[in-house]
Amino acid sequence: MWFIKSKKSSLHAKKSRSGIAVSERVLKNERLSSDFVLGAIDDGVMMVSRDNLIQLFNPGASKISGWPAEESVGLDFHNVLKLVSQKGEPCPPETHPFTRALAGGRTVRDSKLWLSTKAGKVLPISVVVSPVLDENDHPTGNVVGVF
């Protein structure tokens, strides 16, 4: 067990501005950057600005929605992440989780929605949308959603 202790003690965590603890090894390895992590996960990750435009769309979001990332960035999120109720009715814009998070500056969770993909296929999804906060914990006007 002595080797486990010595190995662990050589990994010093650095806290980033976002509050994430990261080892120095990860910080020094560009292969393990946030771009790499966002590209490696299967969940869809999307960042939307206060003007409703998609700023970030990872490969998981592309796979789930059917929208290529290159086409999605710069579009209004309502056109890409078309949500419907369990009854198949379109989600009114004011009840869309991204709209609610942008308007309220708080995390919104919804697991009772369905996504209408670019091809028209309807999939059940769970969405969590959180505001991006500045260094004083105030919303910046951007939100990040995972689905």
Side-chain angles (χ1 to χ4, degrees), residues 32-128:
L32 300 177
S33 69
S34 58
D35 288 348
F36 171 79
V37 173
L38 287 171
I41 60 175
D42 286 336
D43 290 327
V45 179
M46 184 169 84
M47 178 187 281
V48 174
S49 55
R50 71 179 57 168
D51 55 4
N52 294 339
L53 299 180
I54 297 172
Q55 302 298 318
L56 179 144
F57 205 76
N58 81 332
S62 292
K63 185 176 179 181
I64 293 166
S65 70
W67 281 84
E70 300 79 24
E71 286 182 36
S72 302
V73 171
L75 295 179
D76 186 300
F77 75 87
H78 293 99
N79 297 326
V80 176
L81 204 66
K82 294 181 181 179
L83 300 179
V84 296
S85 70
Q86 292 174 328
K87 296 178 184 178
E89 299 165 348
C91 177
E94 65 275 5
T95 65
H96 195 292
F98 277 84
T99 302
R100 291 173 39 217
L102 282 165
R106 292 198 170 126
T107 298
V108 175
R109 291 175 170 77
D110 199 324
S111 59
K112 296 180 178 154
L113 293 171
W114 294 71
L115 171 66
S116 178
T117 68
K118 186 175 184 183
K121 186 177 179 182
V122 180
L123 307 169
I125 65 166
S126 178
V127 182
V128 178

